[in-house]
Coordinates of all heavy atoms in Angstrom, one line a residue:
I6 N 36.6 -19.1 -29.0 CA 36.5 -17.6 -28.7 C 35.2 -17.1 -29.3 O 34.5 -16.3 -28.6 CB 37.7 -16.9 -29.4 CG1 39.0 -17.3 -28.6 CG2 37.5 -15.4 -29.4 CD1 40.3 -16.7 -29.3
L7 N 34.8 -17.5 -30.5 CA 33.5 -17.1 -31.0 C 32.4 -17.5 -30.1 O 31.4 -16.8 -29.9 CB 33.4 -17.7 -32.4 CG 32.1 -17.2 -33.2 CD1 32.1 -15.7 -33.3 CD2 32.1 -17.9 -34.5
Y8 N 32.4 -18.8 -29.6 CA 31.4 -19.2 -28.7 C 31.3 -18.4 -27.4 O 30.3 -18.0 -27.0 CB 31.6 -20.7 -28.4 CG 30.7 -21.3 -27.4 CD1 29.4 -21.6 -27.8 CD2 31.0 -21.5 -26.1 CE1 28.4 -22.1 -26.9 CE2 30.1 -22.0 -25.2 CZ 28.8 -22.3 -25.6 OH 27.9 -22.7 -24.6
L9 N 32.5 -18.1 -26.8 CA 32.5 -17.3 -25.6 C 32.0 -15.9 -25.9 O 31.2 -15.4 -25.1 CB 33.9 -17.3 -25.1 CG 34.5 -18.6 -24.5 CD1 35.9 -18.4 -24.1 CD2 33.6 -19.0 -23.3
L10 N 32.4 -15.3 -27.0 CA 31.9 -14.0 -27.3 C 30.4 -14.0 -27.5 O 29.7 -13.0 -27.1 CB 32.6 -13.4 -28.5 CG 34.1 -13.0 -28.3 CD1 34.7 -12.6 -29.6 CD2 34.2 -11.9 -27.2
T11 N 29.9 -15.0 -28.2 CA 28.5 -15.1 -28.4 C 27.7 -15.2 -27.1 O 26.7 -14.6 -26.9 CB 28.1 -16.3 -29.3 OG1 28.9 -16.2 -30.5 CG2 26.7 -16.4 -29.6
M12 N 28.2 -16.0 -26.2 CA 27.6 -16.2 -24.9 C 27.6 -14.9 -24.1 O 26.6 -14.6 -23.4 CB 28.2 -17.4 -24.1 CG 28.0 -18.7 -24.7 SD 26.3 -19.1 -25.0 CE 25.7 -19.2 -23.3
I13 N 28.7 -14.2 -24.1 CA 28.8 -13.0 -23.4 C 27.8 -12.0 -23.9 O 27.1 -11.3 -23.2 CB 30.3 -12.4 -23.4 CG1 31.2 -13.3 -22.6 CG2 30.3 -10.9 -23.0 CD1 32.7 -12.9 -22.8
F14 N 27.7 -11.9 -25.2 CA 26.8 -11.0 -25.9 C 25.3 -11.4 -25.5 O 24.5 -10.5 -25.2 CB 27.0 -11.0 -27.4 CG 26.0 -10.1 -28.1 CD1 26.1 -8.8 -28.1 CD2 24.9 -10.7 -28.8 CE1 25.1 -8.0 -28.7 CE2 24.0 -9.9 -29.5 CZ 24.1 -8.6 -29.4
A15 N 25.0 -12.6 -25.6 CA 23.7 -13.1 -25.3 C 23.3 -12.8 -23.8 O 22.2 -12.4 -23.5 CB 23.5 -14.6 -25.6
L16 N 24.2 -13.1 -22.9 CA 23.9 -12.9 -21.5 C 23.8 -11.4 -21.2 O 23.0 -11.0 -20.4 CB 25.0 -13.6 -20.6 CG 24.9 -15.1 -20.7 CD1 26.1 -15.7 -19.9 CD2 23.6 -15.6 -20.1
S17 N 24.7 -10.6 -21.8 CA 24.6 -9.1 -21.5 C 23.3 -8.5 -22.0 O 22.7 -7.6 -21.4 CB 25.8 -8.4 -22.0 OG 25.8 -8.5 -23.4
T18 N 22.9 -9.0 -23.2 CA 21.6 -8.5 -23.8 C 20.4 -8.9 -22.9 O 19.5 -8.1 -22.6 CB 21.4 -9.1 -25.2 OG1 22.6 -8.7 -26.0 CG2 20.2 -8.5 -25.8
A19 N 20.4 -10.2 -22.4 CA 19.3 -10.6 -21.6 C 19.3 -9.9 -20.3 O 18.2 -9.6 -19.8 CB 19.5 -12.1 -21.4
T20 N 20.4 -9.6 -19.7 CA 20.5 -8.8 -18.5 C 20.0 -7.4 -18.7 O 19.2 -6.9 -17.9 CB 21.9 -8.8 -17.9 OG1 22.4 -10.1 -17.8 CG2 22.0 -8.0 -16.6
A21 N 20.3 -6.8 -19.8 CA 19.9 -5.4 -20.1 C 18.4 -5.4 -20.3 O 17.7 -4.4 -19.9 CB 20.6 -4.8 -21.3
L22 N 17.8 -6.4 -20.9 CA 16.4 -6.4 -21.1 C 15.6 -6.9 -19.9 O 14.3 -6.8 -19.9 CB 16.1 -7.3 -22.3 CG 16.7 -6.9 -23.7 CD1 16.4 -7.9 -24.7 CD2 16.1 -5.5 -24.1
A23 N 16.2 -7.3 -18.9 CA 15.5 -7.8 -17.7 C 15.0 -6.7 -16.8 O 14.2 -7.0 -16.0 CB 16.4 -8.8 -16.9
A24 N 15.5 -5.5 -17.0 CA 15.1 -4.4 -16.1 C 13.6 -4.1 -16.3 O 13.2 -4.1 -17.5 CB 16.0 -3.2 -16.3
E25 N 12.9 -3.8 -15.3 CA 11.5 -3.4 -15.4 C 11.4 -2.0 -15.8 O 12.1 -1.1 -15.2 CB 10.8 -3.7 -14.1 CG 10.6 -5.1 -13.7 CD 9.8 -5.3 -12.5 OE1 9.2 -4.4 -12.0 OE2 9.8 -6.4 -11.9

Side-chain angles (χ1 to χ4, degrees):
I6 292 174
L7 183 61
Y8 176 75
L9 289 175
L10 289 175
T11 304
M12 292 306 295
I13 290 171
F14 177 74
L16 292 175
S17 64
T18 303
T20 304
L22 296 176
E25 291 184 11

